[in-house]
Amino acid sequence: MSSERFSFPRAELRRRTARGVFVNGAFLVGVESLTLVQGLLVARLLSTKQFALYGIVSITVLSLLALKQVGIDEGYIQQDEEDQELAFQRAFTLDVCLGGLFALLVVVLAPIVAALYGQAELAPLMAALGYLPLAFALMAPAWVFMRRMDFVRQRLLLAIVPIVTFPATIGLVLAGLGAWALVVGAFAGNLVGVLVALRITPYPLHLRFDRDTLRHYWRFSWPIFAVTGAGLAIRQGQVFAFNAALGLAGASYIALAATFTQYADRADQIVTTTIYPAICAVKDRQAALTRIFVTSNRLTAVWALAFGAGLALFARDLVDHVLGAKWEPAVILLQAMGITTAVHQIGFNWTAFYRAVGNSRPQATFAVVALVTFVAVPLPLLFAVGIDGFAYGMFALMATTGAVRAFYVKALLPELRLGALLARVAVAPVAATLAVLAWRVAAPGPRDLATSLGQLALFLVVYGVVSYAQERPLIRELAGYLSRGAAPAVTESGAAA
């Protein structure tokens, strides 16, 4: 292992990874939950029209930002160049160039999006977010901390944006700025984040263009570009379709669902960023890769399946007691998204393993299958049946993409017992769900706030008890890694000595 990659010996890799999971988990629970609370408060305070306007803009811009994130950061983390400062600056240069292009694209597309949706207010809202691609590029110092597995510094840097954005946004919403409150609040958060990144960057942010570096990143990144392009088509397609089928109110419903799915997706993104440097470090050892895959998915399932099952069970309670009656039509959509999002998290990080071994092409195949299925099933059902049809159509998308994912996981990790992993992680959510359903069968009818909170408490207790009983050995193992002197040595095969 290159001394340039980590400042600690190989024997500490597993402990550092475990500590990273806890650091990033704390970040998820704290900072990302703050973002979710912001979304709920905004949905409560704004009208469905104002929420829909910003939802259309944010989904469009964030989709373009995802398209910009073509794996330059992951390519930088994967490489082992002798001169790490030069490697960073070359990767940063490519990211800044892409950021400039996408900033221009956001501004150019603003009036087009406004015309497509028939809402003139969308143009200035979207154009005002044109700075985001460059702001994201200027946060590149976080790559260095991630590559070094210095997760505390990485997360402190990334936490600045949502922490500043939250009070700025809510204050401006209360002041009556409507959708513009979210635009201005996000600008305040990103401005502070960029200033801090420029202050603490390990390497100077110099521009150094290199053609060989461009070719290398293109070979690595084009399948990722295809994946994000398909994701852009799906996200934009569903917003546009809901607007066409149900009007601006329909667009607000899918935007609300996206608020929850994005929060759940952040769980897999955070865990993936934690383990990706470790995957790159052991990419030539099959047993180590399989162990990391199983362990990371067991850990993430504890969180992701609780969130997804909870959203499916308590979507109506959320609307009745938190969001308000104006979101009643979105209940079935939230329930379906809860289930599909939970299932999506199982094996969520398979693409990171392929990218770590330098093969990102399977992602492109996966993206094409997802896009074709989305166009063939959920979209037609939306226009034929309505929101219910779209919600049920998402189960077809879940099944198809799940099958493709399982195929590629087994191809890369043939020793993995995927069926046993699925059966294991399903026990806790099934047990907690059955407990709540038994209560509801025994006491049918409308649920007041006290009943909803009681059932939520029951769900969490049963889920927590079953999860702890199942994962007690894993929790003890991780706790041992967190103790500075308890890290077991790691052999060349990746197994504990």
Side-chain angles (χ1 to χ4, degrees):
M1 185 184 303
S2 170
S3 61
E4 290 292 336
R5 178 177 290 274
F6 305 131
S7 60
F8 52 85
R10 180 186 295 271
E12 291 191 28
L13 178 60
R14 196 178 294 176
R15 181 174 64 82
R16 293 285 183 134
T17 304
R19 289 174 67 88
V21 169
F22 277 86
V23 168
N24 291 320
F27 174 86
L28 172 69
V29 172
V31 179
E32 292 299 322
S33 295
L34 187 67
T35 302
L36 179 62
V37 171
Q38 175 185 305
L40 293 175
L41 289 174
V42 169
R44 176 76 181 189
L45 295 171
L46 291 183
S47 66
T48 54
K49 178 181 179 180
Q50 289 294 310
F51 191 87
L53 289 174
Y54 184 77
I56 292 169
V57 167
S58 64
I59 289 173
T60 303
V61 175
L62 290 176
S63 298
L64 290 172
L65 285 171
L67 197 61
K68 171 190 168 291
Q69 301 300 318
V70 292
I72 292 177
D73 53 345
E74 293 175 347
Y76 165 74
I77 292 166
Q78 183 199 46
Q79 55 77 37
D80 286 300
E81 297 291 335
E82 184 175 347
D83 189 339
Q84 281 300 302
E85 179 175 326
L86 181 61
F88 169 77
Q89 290 169 346
R90 286 174 172 174
F92 168 70
T93 300
L94 295 179
D95 207 48
V96 168
C97 291
L98 272 178
L101 290 174
F102 275 84
L104 179 62
L105 183 61
V106 170
V107 175
V108 170
L109 288 178
I112 298 174
V113 170
L116 286 173
Y117 285 94
Q119 299 290 330
E121 304 100 311
L122 289 174
L125 282 171
M126 183 168 170
L129 294 176
Y131 72 92
L132 278 175
L134 284 171
F136 276 40
L138 292 173
M139 296 292 286
W143 306 349
V144 183
F145 300 131
M146 177 181 170
R147 187 178 186 277
R148 296 174 178 175
M149 299 186 76
D150 187 351
F151 297 115
V152 173
R153 289 190 183 182
Q154 180 203 12
R155 288 303 165 191
L156 286 176
L157 174 57
L158 297 179
I160 292 170
V161 176
I163 288 174
V164 174
T165 298
F166 178 84
T169 299
I170 299 304
L172 292 171
V173 168
L174 293 173
L177 265 67
W180 278 99
L182 289 95
V183 174
V184 179
F187 177 78
N190 281 282
L191 177 61
V192 175
V194 167
L195 291 175
V196 173
L198 296 176
R199 176 78 176 177
I200 68 171
T201 179
Y203 303 127
L205 300 186
H206 293 162
L207 298 179
R208 296 193 178 186
F209 181 78
D210 180 73
R211 291 183 183 275
D212 290 337
T213 302
L214 175 61
R215 284 192 289 269
H216 168 75
Y217 277 102
W218 171 248
R219 288 193 299 270
F220 180 83
S221 298
W222 77 258
I224 301 174
F225 186 85
V227 171
T228 51
L232 169 62
I234 290 175
R235 285 187 291 272
Q236 278 301 111
Q238 63 188 13
V239 175
F240 188 77
F242 267 77
N243 181 75
L246 305 170
L248 205 56
S252 73
Y253 302 147
I254 195 66
L256 179 66
T259 299
F260 289 96
T261 57
Q262 287 169 5
Y263 179 62
D265 287 342
R266 288 293 292 155
D268 65 35
Q269 292 171 18
I270 285 175
V271 174
T272 299
T273 57
T274 304
I275 67 174
Y276 187 67
I279 298 172
C280 292
V282 299
K283 60 188 176 184
D284 297 325
R285 286 175 264 158
Q286 186 73 212
L289 288 177
T290 302
R291 179 183 176 86
I292 293 174
F293 183 89
V294 171
T295 301
S296 61
N297 276 275
R298 284 168 60 187
L299 284 173
T300 306
V302 172
W303 151 255
L305 297 189
F307 183 85
L311 181 59
L313 275 174
F314 296 100
R316 176 162 298 281
D317 306 77
L318 182 67
V319 168
D320 289 344
H321 305 304
V322 179
L323 297 177
K326 62 187 177 184
W327 297 106
E328 170 69 25
V331 169
I332 184 66
L333 185 62
L334 292 175
Q335 291 172 330
M337 289 297 193
I339 297 171
T340 57
T341 299
V343 174
H344 173 73
Q345 307 305 313
I346 302 172
F348 67 95
N349 54 358
W350 70 277
T351 56
F353 287 78
Y354 270 95
R355 292 196 295 271
V357 300
N359 181 13
S360 50
R361 293 189 178 187
Q363 292 179 251
T365 303
F366 178 87
V368 170
V369 171
L371 180 59
V372 170
T373 306
F374 177 75
V375 173
V377 185
L379 282 190
L381 287 176
L382 171 64
F383 288 96
V385 183
I387 293 180
D388 291 10
F390 179 87
Y392 295 129
M394 293 300 289
F395 291 120
L397 179 63
M398 175 187 72
T400 304
T401 55
V404 175
R405 178 185 303 179
F407 171 80
Y408 280 118
V409 168
K410 287 295 291 182
L412 183 65
L413 305 173
E415 296 179 0
L416 174 68
R417 297 174 58 200
L418 190 57
L421 176 62
L422 294 174
R424 183 185 189 94
V425 300
V427 173
V430 169
T433 298
L434 290 176
V436 173
L437 293 179
W439 182 337
R440 292 179 180 177
V441 169
R447 297 185 291 274
D448 58 20
L449 180 58
T451 301
S452 296
L453 291 175
Q455 292 181 358
L456 177 61
L458 174 64
F459 176 85
L460 294 175
V461 168
V462 173
Y463 195 98
V465 169
V466 175
S467 294
Y468 180 76
Q470 275 193 305
E471 303 298 353
R472 187 183 307 170
L474 179 60
I475 293 171
R476 288 177 176 174
E477 180 184 359
L478 292 175
Y481 296 149
L482 292 177
S483 301
R484 192 167 289 274
V490 179
T491 67
E492 288 299 314
S493 66

